[in-house]
C-alpha cells in the first residue's frame, strides 16, 4: 500500500532521509522508530506530500504522490504530532470541512460525523469552538477527521502524545481494528511498549537511514539479544547502550 | 539588577540572532522596507514642514496654531500609547509563551515587572516614536532651533513614554483580575481601533481646512472659539507641550517646571506599577491561565446564510468558502478591520457630498466628469487598501493548519480559486456601491456612470486576483495575527503592483474619454484615426484587467504547489 523507492530528502548539506526503501502492505501495522532527529517526521511528510523528495519516489496504493497527488491523497488519513487546526471552527464544523475537502456526499458526511465524535468521545464538545479544546481533545478530533473518508492508509506521527491512558487505550484498539479490516497503518512512536504491543513489523531509522526492519523476533535476531524487550534491542541498534553508562555515572 | 538584565537577555539575543541569520533575499527585503520607511518618514517631514511654514506666515494666529497642533500631536500620542501599552502588556505580562518558564523560575516579581516593562515600552512605542520624530524635526527646522532643542526633545520623549507605559501596565494588571486575559485583549484591540476610527471621523467632520480660511466663519470671535479645543492641565500631553514649546523658540518659560512634572510622573508610574505588580501580578497570572473557557457556537441563521451563499459551488469549493467565511466573522481582530473599513468608506463618500462644484468657474459638467475619473482611481485605491487587509491574507490565514489542505485530495488550483470567489463578491458589491453613490453625488453624465461602473467591475477582478495571487506567492503561515500579514513584504509588493495597475487602467481610459468629451464640447466629429486609438486603449485596458487577475493567480498556484510545509 505504501512504497518508498530510494527516497532521499536533503535540506542544504543535511541529508534528513537517505535512500529509504520500505513497503507497508495492506492490513499491516508498521512501526517506525528512531532517536530524535533521525528523519521520522521528514519521512512522514514526504509520504503524505507535504515535502517534495530530493530524489526517489513514494507510491500510495499504486499512485505516485508527486505525479498523481489527488488520487494518492484521497486514500490517506494523516495525523501529525502537532494537531494545528482552525481554532474558530467548532468540532462538527471542522469535520464538515474535511468531508468537503475529501468530496464526501453531504448525507454520508452528516451520518459519519456523529459516529466519529461518539467513537472518540467528543460528542458533548461537537458544538464548541476548537480553541477551547485541550491538546488531547484536538488530537482525537484530528484522528476522527483522518478516518472520516474511510482511508486505506493511515499515517500517524506519535499517536499517543497528549492522550490520557483511557484515550491511548481507545486509540490502540481503534487502529488494531482498522488494520484487521485491511487498512495499512504507518506510525511512529517513542513509546516502545506501544510499538511492541501494536505493530506487526518495525523499522528503525537513524541519521536518515533505515538500519533495521522486521518483526520483533527478527529484530531480536539481528541485534543478537535473545528474549529481551524492544527497548534493549532499540538501544543496541541505535547505539543507545552508552545511555546506560551515563545513567550509572549520574546515579553514583 | 542581575536578574533584570538576565530576563531581558533572551529577547535581545533572539533579535541579534535573527538579524545575523538573515539570508541574502531576507536582507534585501529589509533594505527595501527601510527605504520605504525612509520615504514615508521624509513624506511626513515635508508635509509638516509645509504646514508649519504656512502657519508661521499667518499673522496673529500663526503661533497659536503651531502650539495647538503640537498639543494635539502630544494628546494623540498619549491616548494612542495608553491603549497600545494595555494591549502589549497583556502579551508581555500574561500571554507570552516564555512566561511559564520565567514565573516558575526563582526570580523576584520586581525583576519580572521591570524586564517586561522595558519590553512593553519598546514594543508599544517604537512606531509612534519613529513616525513622530520627523514631526518634531520639522518643528525644529522651521523654528531654527539650536542643538539643545533636539537633545531636550529626546530626553523629554523618553520620559514621556514611561507615563502611558506605567499607566497601561497598571490598568492591565487590574483588568486581568476581573476579565479573561485573551478575550479582554481582543475586545480592547477592537476598542482601540474604534477609538482611532472615531478620531478620524471626528477630525474629518470638523473640517479642519476651514481653520485656515477665516472667511468661512461669521465673525473673528467664532474663529477664535473654533481654535480653542479643550486642554486639560492635568494631562501629561499638556505638560509636554508646555515644556517643549519654549525650548523650541529658544525661550525658558515654564519649561523646567513641566519637565520635572514629566520626569517625576514617569518614574512614579514605574514605581507604583512595581508595587501593584508585587501586590496582584501573581493572582492575575493564575487567573489568565484558568480563563480558557468554551463557547457555544450555535448560530442557525448565520449557518443557513453561509450555506445559501456557498450552495452553487462544488463540495470542496463550498467547504473552503464556508470555513473562510465562518472563521472570518468569529475573529475579533477582523471585526476591528471592518470598523476601519466603515470609517474609510463614510469619509470617502462624505468628501464627495461636500464638494463645492457649483461655485467653480470651470463648466460644471466638465468638472464633474473629471472628478468622476479621479474618483475611479481613488475608489481603486480605497479598494486596494481594503484588499490588502482582507483579500491578501486569504492564503496566510490558513496558518499552521495549512497541512490539512495540503494533505487533502483538493488541488491547489481549486483551493486558490475558491479563495478568489469568496473575496470577489464583497469587493465587487462594495466597489459598485462606492462608484455609483459617489457618481450620484457628483451628478455625472450617463456615459461616465456606465463607463466607471463597468471599469470598476473589471478592476475588482484584477484587485482580488492580485491580492489572492500575491498572497499565495508570499504566504505567512506563522503570522500571529491578520494585521501582521498585511504589513509584511508581500503586502507592500501587492500595494505597489495594485497602484500601478489602477493607475495604468485610469490613464488608458482617461485619454480616450477626454477626446470624446472635447468632441462633444466643440460639437465636432471624431476622426477615424482617433477612433482607432480609442478602441485600442480600451482593448489594452481590458487585457490589463485580464492579466491582473489571471497571471498572479497562476503564479500563486505554482508557488503553493512547490512549497514545502
Amino acid at each position: 500500500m505504501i512504497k518508498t523507492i530510494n527516497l532521499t530528502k536533503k535540506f542544504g548539506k543535511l541529508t534528513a532521509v537517505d535512500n529509504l526503501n520500505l513497503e507497508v502492505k495492506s492490513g499491516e501495522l508498521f512501526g517506525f522508530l528512531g532517536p530524535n532527529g533521525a528523519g521520522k517526521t521528514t519521512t512522514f511528510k514526504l509520504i503524505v506530500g507535504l515535502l517534495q523528495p530530493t530524489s526517489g519516489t513514494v507510491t500510495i496504493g499504486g499512485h505516485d504522490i508527486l505525479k498523481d497527488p489527488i488520487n494518492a491523497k484521497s486514500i490517506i488519513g494523516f495525523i501529525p504530532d502537532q494537531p494545528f487546526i482552525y481554532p474558530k471552527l467548532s468540532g462538527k464544523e471542522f469535520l464538515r470541512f474535511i468531508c468537503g475537502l475529501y468530496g464526501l456526499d453531504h448525507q454520508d458526511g452528516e451520518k459519519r460525523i456523529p459516529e466519529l465524535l461518539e467513537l472518540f468521545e467528543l460528542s458533548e464538545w461537537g458544538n464548541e469552538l476548537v480553541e477551547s479544546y485541550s491538546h488531547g481533545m484536538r488530537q482525537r478530533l484530528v484522528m476522527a477527521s483522518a478516518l472520516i473518508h474511510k482511508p486505506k492508509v493511515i499515517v500517524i506521527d506519535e499517536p499517543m502524545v497528549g492522550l490520557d491512558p483511557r484515550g491511548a487505550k481507545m486509540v490502540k484498539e481503534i487502529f488494531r481494528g482498522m488494520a484487521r479490516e485491511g487498512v495499512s497503518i504507518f506510525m511512529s512512536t517513542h513509546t516502545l511498549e506501544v510499538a511492541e504491543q501494536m505493530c506487526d513489523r518495525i523499522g528503525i531509522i537513524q541519521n536518515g537511514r533505515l538500519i533495521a526492519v522486521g518483526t520483533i523476533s527478527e529484530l531480536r535476531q539481528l541485534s543478537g539479544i535473545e528474549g529481551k524487550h524492544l527497548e534493549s534491542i532499540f538501544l543496541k541498534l541505535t547505539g543507545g547502550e552508552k545511555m546506560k553508562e551515563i545513567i550509572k555515572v549520574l546515579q553514583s | 539588577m542581575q536578574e533584570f538584565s538576565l530576563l531581558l537577555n533572551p529577547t535581545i539575543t533572539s533579535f541579534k540572532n535573527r538579524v545575523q541569520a538573515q539570508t541574502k533575499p531576507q536582507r534585501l527585503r529589509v533594505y527595501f522596507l527601510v527605504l520605504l520607511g525612509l520615504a514615508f518618514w521624509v513624506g511626513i517631514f515635508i508635509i509638516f514642514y509645509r504646514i508649519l511654514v504656512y502657519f508661521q506666515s499667518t499673522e496673529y494666529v500663526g503661533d497659536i496654531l503651531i502650539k495647538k497642533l503640537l498639543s494635539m500631536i502630544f494628546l494623540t500620542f498619549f491616548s494612542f500609547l495608553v491603549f497600545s501599552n494595555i494591549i502589549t502588556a497583556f502579551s508581555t505580562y500574561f500571554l507570552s509563551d516564555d512566561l511559564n518558564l520565567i514565573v516558575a523560575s526563582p526570580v523576584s516579581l520586581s525583576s519580572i515587572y521591570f524586564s517586561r516593562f522595558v519590553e512593553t515600552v519598546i514594543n508599544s512605542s517604537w512606531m509612534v516614536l519613529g513616525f513622530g520624530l520627523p514631526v518634531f524635526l520639522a518643528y525644529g527646522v522651521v523654528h531654527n532651533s539650536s542643538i539643545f532643542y533636539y537633545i531636550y526633545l529626546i530626553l523629554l520623549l523618553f520620559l514621556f513614554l514611561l507615563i502611558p507605559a506605567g499607566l497601561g501596565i497598571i490598568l492591565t494588571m487590574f483588568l486581568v483580575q476581573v476579565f479573561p486575559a485573551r478575550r479582554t485583549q481582543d475586545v480592547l484591540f477592537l476598542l482601540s481601533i474604534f477609538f482611532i476610527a472615531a478620531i478620524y471621523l471626528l477630525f474629518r467632520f470638523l473640517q479642519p481646512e476651514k481653520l485656515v480660511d477665516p472667511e468661512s466663519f461669521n465673525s473673528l470671535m467664532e474663529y477664535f472659539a473654533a481654535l480653542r479645543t479643550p486642554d486639560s492641565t492635568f494631562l501629561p500631553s499638556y505638560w509636554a507641550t508646555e515644556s517643549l514649546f519654549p525650548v523650541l523658540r529658544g525661550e525658558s518659560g515654564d519649561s523646567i517646571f513641566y519637565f520635572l512634572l514629566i520626569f517625576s510622573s514617569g518614574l512614579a508610574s514605574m514605581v507604583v506599577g512595581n508595587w501593584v505588580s508585587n501586590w496582584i501580578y501573581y493572582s492575575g497570572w493564575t487567573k489568565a491561565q484558568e480563563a480558557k473557557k468554551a463557547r457555544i457556537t450555535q448560530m442557525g441563521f448565520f449557518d443557513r446564510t453561509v450555506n445559501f451563499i456557498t450552495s452553487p459551488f462544488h463540495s470542496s469549493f463550498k467547504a473552503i468558502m464556508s470555513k473562510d467565511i465562518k472563521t472570518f466573522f468569529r475573529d475579533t481582530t477582523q471585526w476591528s478591520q471592518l470598523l476601519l473599513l466603515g470609517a474609510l468608506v463614510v469619509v470617502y463618500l462624505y468628501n464627495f457630498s461636500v464638494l463645492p462644484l457649483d461655485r467653480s468657474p470651470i463648466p460644471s459638467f466638465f468638472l464633474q466628469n473629471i472628478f468622476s475619473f479621479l474618483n475611479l482611481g481613488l475608489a481603486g485605491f480605497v479598494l486596494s487598501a481594503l484588499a490588502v487587509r482582507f483579500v491578501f491574507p486569504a492564503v496566510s490565514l490558513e496558518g499552521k493548519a495549512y497541512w490539512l489542505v495540503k494533505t487533502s485530495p483538493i488541488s491547489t488550483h481549486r483551493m486558490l480559486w475558491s479563495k478568489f470567489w469568496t473575496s470577489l463578491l464583497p469587493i465587487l458589491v462594495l466597489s459598485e456601491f462606492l462608484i455609483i453613490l459617489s457618481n450620484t453625488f457628483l451628478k455625472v453624465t450617463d456615459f461616465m456612470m456606465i463607463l466607471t461602473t463597468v471599469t470598476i467591475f473589471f478592476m475588482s477582478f484584477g484587485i482580488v486576483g492580485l491580492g489572492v495571487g500575491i498572497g499565495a506567492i508570499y504566504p505567512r503561515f506563522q503570522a500571529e495575527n491578520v494585521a501582521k500579514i498585511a504589513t509584511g513584504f508581500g503586502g507592500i509588493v501587492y500595494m505597489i503592483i495594485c497602484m500601478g495597475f489602477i493607475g495604468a487602467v485610469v490613464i488608458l481610459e482617461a485619454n480616450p474619454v477626454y477626446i470624446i468629451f472635447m468632441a462633444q464640447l466643440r460639437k465636432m466629429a471624431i476622426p477615424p484615426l482617433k477612433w482607432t486609438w480609442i478602441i485600442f486603449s480600451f482593448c489594452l485596458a481590458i487585457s490589463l484587467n485580464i492579466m491582473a487577475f489571471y497571471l498572479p493567480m497562476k503564479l500563486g498556484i505554482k508557488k503553493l504547489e512547490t512549497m514545502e510545509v
Side-chain angles (χ1 to χ4, degrees):
Chain A
M1 244 329 161
I2 304 175
K3 196 170 184 181
T4 72
I5 302 166
N6 300 331
L7 189 64
T8 301
K9 179 67 189 174
K10 290 183 181 177
F11 294 108
K13 286 177 187 166
L14 176 87
T15 306
V17 176
D18 193 359
N19 222 22
L20 184 76
N21 289 290
L22 60 81
E23 191 174 356
V24 183
K25 297 186 183 78
S26 279
E28 186 178 27
L29 220 157
F30 190 94
F32 202 44
L33 310 184
N36 292 332
K40 297 188 294 296
T41 300
T42 306
T43 307
F44 280 50
K45 285 186 169 182
L46 288 166
I47 287 173
V48 299
L50 285 176
L51 292 177
Q52 286 187 330
T54 310
S55 61
T57 55
V58 176
T59 52
I60 310 289
H63 306 287
D64 189 310
I65 192 81
L66 276 187
K67 291 179 189 153
D68 186 11
I70 305 294
N71 283 322
K73 287 174 181 178
S74 64
I75 54 169
I76 305 178
F78 176 50
I79 303 157
D81 59 337
Q82 298 279 349
F84 287 118
I85 37 183
Y86 308 101
K88 299 286 179 194
L89 291 186
S90 72
K92 271 187 189 166
E93 286 169 344
F94 173 68
L95 292 178
R96 262 183 219 127
F97 168 67
I98 299 293
C99 286
L101 287 186
Y102 283 82
L104 248 73
D105 177 46
H106 177 72
Q107 282 182 332
D108 282 353
E110 289 304 307
K111 211 177 131 222
R112 289 278 286 162
I113 290 167
E115 281 173 10
L116 283 164
L117 287 174
E118 181 73 37
L119 182 67
F120 286 95
E121 298 178 353
L122 288 168
S123 296
E124 280 178 33
W125 292 81
N127 288 322
E128 304 294 333
L129 291 191
V130 168
E131 67 183 2
S132 65
Y133 284 25
S134 71
H135 180 84
M137 285 161 71
R138 283 179 202 209
Q139 186 76 347
R140 278 186 274 149
L141 185 65
V142 171
M143 284 181 185
S145 75
L147 304 186
I148 206 153
H149 60 293
K150 298 185 178 162
K152 290 181 180 161
V153 170
I154 293 176
V155 179
I156 331 164
D157 199 359
E158 292 290 343
M160 304 307 166
V161 169
L163 294 180
D164 58 24
R166 185 182 153 84
K169 187 168 185 294
M170 174 180 77
V171 166
K172 272 192 237 171
E173 279 169 12
I174 290 170
F175 288 126
R176 273 254 54 112
M178 292 190 77
R180 275 197 296 276
E181 284 170 23
V183 177
S184 306
I185 297 174
F186 185 47
M187 61 176 252
S188 80
T189 180
H190 283 298
T191 321
L192 298 180
E193 276 174 35
V194 171
E196 206 165 356
Q197 285 166 15
M198 288 179 73
C199 300
D200 302 313
R201 278 196 310 147
I202 284 167
I204 297 177
I205 186 173
Q206 190 174 27
N207 298 328
R209 286 179 160 270
L210 192 66
I211 55 167
V213 65
T215 59
I216 296 272
S217 56
E218 283 168 350
L219 291 178
R220 262 188 207 118
Q221 274 182 357
L222 194 73
S223 64
I225 304 175
E226 281 300 318
K228 291 236 177 170
H229 282 297
L230 184 58
E231 187 180 356
S232 305
I233 301 167
F234 178 79
L235 290 174
K236 175 87 190 289
L237 289 170
T238 57
E241 288 286 290
K242 281 180 190 165
M243 282 298 294
K244 288 182 180 170
E245 290 167 29
I246 294 167
I247 291 165
K248 266 186 199 165
V249 172
L250 286 172
Q251 283 171 341
S252 62
Chain B
M1 194 63 197
Q2 204 185 350
E3 275 180 356
F4 166 74
S5 56
L6 185 74
L7 288 176
L8 269 180
N9 191 30
T11 316
I12 298 164
T13 317
S14 303
F15 179 73
K16 214 164 71 187
N17 290 344
R18 219 169 36 226
V19 173
Q20 280 170 352
Q22 273 177 350
T23 56
K24 206 177 168 192
Q26 280 173 327
R27 255 201 301 277
L28 281 175
R29 272 185 197 191
V30 172
Y31 294 147
F32 178 74
L33 289 177
V34 168
L35 261 176
L36 212 71
L38 213 64
F40 196 59
W41 212 83
V42 171
I44 295 177
F45 175 79
I46 293 170
I47 290 169
F48 271 86
Y49 179 81
R50 294 187 67 167
I51 291 174
L52 292 173
V53 167
Y54 179 72
F55 279 177
Q56 221 177 19
S57 66
T58 321
E59 274 184 85
Y60 309 117
V61 290
D63 270 356
I64 304 174
L65 284 172
I66 287 174
K67 196 172 171 188
K68 194 93 262 172
L69 185 66
L70 186 67
S71 115
M72 277 163 76
I73 291 166
F74 270 118
L75 184 65
T76 314
F77 276 11
F78 183 73
S79 32
F80 185 77
L81 282 169
V82 172
F83 260 114
S84 166
N85 275 294
I86 292 177
I87 293 159
T88 314
F90 270 104
S91 299
T92 50
Y93 282 91
F94 298 100
L95 301 173
S96 182
D97 287 337
D98 62 341
L99 280 167
N100 278 325
L101 179 77
I102 288 165
V103 176
S105 64
V107 289
S108 70
L109 281 180
S110 291
S111 296
I112 296 178
Y113 168 78
F114 283 114
S115 62
R116 296 278 145 165
F117 188 97
V118 175
E119 266 191 67
T120 312
V121 171
I122 293 171
N123 285 338
S124 62
S125 316
W126 71 270
M127 208 182 245
V128 175
L129 195 65
F131 289 109
L133 281 178
V135 176
F136 294 114
L137 193 67
Y139 264 94
V141 172
V142 168
H143 285 88
N144 270 328
S145 304
S146 67
I147 185 82
F148 177 68
Y149 162 74
Y150 299 100
I151 298 167
Y152 187 77
L153 173 74
I154 291 167
L155 191 65
L156 185 81
L157 281 181
F158 171 73
L159 293 167
F160 178 73
L161 290 178
L162 298 180
I163 306 172
L167 275 175
I169 292 166
I170 293 168
L171 272 168
T172 308
M173 298 252 178
F174 283 109
L175 281 171
V176 172
Q177 300 294 318
V178 191
F179 306 106
R182 209 168 294 270
R183 193 78 56 213
T184 316
Q185 193 193 29
D186 287 351
V187 171
L188 277 167
F189 184 70
L190 190 69
L191 275 179
S192 68
I193 297 288
F194 186 73
F195 169 76
I196 294 168
I199 286 188
Y200 178 52
L201 285 178
L202 193 74
F203 187 71
R204 189 62 206 98
F205 293 143
L206 280 175
Q207 297 181 319
E209 64 270 18
K210 275 191 176 176
L211 285 179
V212 285
D213 180 19
E215 282 173 23
S216 61
F217 291 89
N218 289 332
S219 70
L220 198 64
M221 288 309 286
E222 208 178 296
Y223 177 62
F224 277 109
L227 278 181
R228 221 172 277 139
T229 47
D231 252 354
S232 170
T233 48
F234 291 106
L235 279 177
S237 55
Y238 175 79
W239 307 339
T241 313
E242 292 300 320
S243 177
L244 192 66
F245 199 67
V247 179
L248 183 73
R249 292 150 56 100
E251 298 161 359
S252 62
D254 290 332
S255 259
I256 298 189
F257 171 71
Y258 287 109
F259 177 82
L260 288 175
L261 265 180
I262 287 184
F263 176 72
S264 53
S265 305
L267 294 185
S269 75
M270 278 176 84
V271 174
V272 174
N274 186 32
W275 292 342
V276 174
S277 164
N278 276 306
W279 174 36
I280 57 173
Y281 174 69
Y282 189 65
S283 69
W285 156 257
T286 313
K287 279 186 181 144
Q289 306 310 300
E290 293 163 356
K292 289 174 187 167
K293 211 180 162 331
R295 199 173 59 173
I296 300 292
T297 56
Q298 290 282 45
M299 290 164 78
F301 176 72
F302 179 68
D303 285 354
R304 276 198 297 279
T305 313
V306 173
N307 283 342
F308 175 74
I309 294 169
T310 57
S311 57
F313 296 93
H314 179 269
S315 71
S316 53
F317 251 71
K318 204 172 149 178
I320 292 180
M321 288 173 98
S322 160
K323 185 265 294 172
D324 283 349
I325 297 171
K326 283 179 183 171
T327 48
F328 177 84
F329 284 105
R330 285 173 192 169
D331 187 351
T332 42
T333 51
Q334 296 278 22
W335 301 353
S336 54
Q337 314 257 334
L338 277 176
L339 264 174
L340 278 182
L341 170 144
L344 191 66
V345 169
V346 168
V347 168
Y348 181 81
L349 291 171
Y350 173 76
N351 283 341
F352 280 99
S353 72
V354 294
L355 273 178
L357 287 170
D358 41 348
R359 277 195 277 152
S360 166
I362 308 166
S364 185
F365 95 96
F366 185 70
L367 198 68
Q368 278 157 350
N369 286 309
I370 294 230
F371 269 128
S372 166
F373 235 99
L374 283 175
N375 181 23
L376 187 66
L378 279 173
F381 174 72
V382 170
L383 288 172
S384 57
L386 297 176
V388 77
R389 286 280 174 190
F390 298 107
V391 181
F392 175 79
V395 173
S396 300
L397 279 176
E398 289 294 324
K400 290 174 184 171
Y402 181 61
W403 67 270
L404 277 161
V405 181
K406 184 89 176 167
T407 56
S408 73
I410 181 174
S411 65
T412 313
H413 179 270
R414 181 165 280 179
M415 189 273 288
L416 212 61
W417 279 104
S418 78
K419 299 216 175 261
F420 175 85
W421 293 112
T422 315
S423 308
L424 183 70
L425 192 70
I427 292 283
L428 208 56
V429 170
L430 188 72
S431 64
E432 293 296 351
F433 170 77
L434 273 182
I435 280 291
I436 293 172
L437 208 63
S438 50
N439 275 347
T440 312
F441 283 139
L442 287 168
K443 300 188 188 85
V444 297
T445 56
D446 290 346
F447 171 73
M448 277 310 287
M449 180 66 104
I450 294 168
L451 180 77
T452 48
T453 312
V454 173
T455 306
I456 204 84
F457 179 85
F458 287 112
M459 227 187 226
S460 302
F461 278 75
I463 290 170
V464 174
L466 279 165
V468 177
I470 297 176
I473 298 169
Y474 297 103
R476 295 184 67 181
F477 294 121
Q478 306 296 324
E480 281 164 23
N481 69 55
V482 63
K484 277 189 181 167
I485 301 169
T487 51
F489 181 74
I492 294 165
V493 169
Y494 168 70
M495 278 309 277
I496 292 170
I497 295 179
C498 213
M499 299 292 193
F501 160 66
I502 294 161
V505 172
V506 170
I507 289 168
L508 279 173
E509 286 191 357
N511 188 254
V513 170
Y514 177 75
I515 295 170
I516 295 170
F517 266 126
M518 290 319 279
Q520 277 179 349
L521 203 69
R522 291 171 187 159
K523 297 197 171 68
M524 282 162 63
I526 300 167
L529 193 73
K530 285 203 169 169
W531 267 121
T532 321
W533 165 244
I534 290 169
I535 293 165
F536 175 73
S537 289
F538 277 113
C539 287
L540 209 63
I542 292 168
S543 349
L544 197 66
N545 274 297
I546 295 170
M547 220 162 73
F549 98 91
Y550 184 70
L551 205 66
M553 287 296 285
K554 205 177 159 191
L555 292 173
I557 291 167
K558 205 172 160 193
K559 170 72 196 274
L560 285 182
E561 269 172 350
T562 51
M563 198 183 71
E564 301 189 327
V565 183

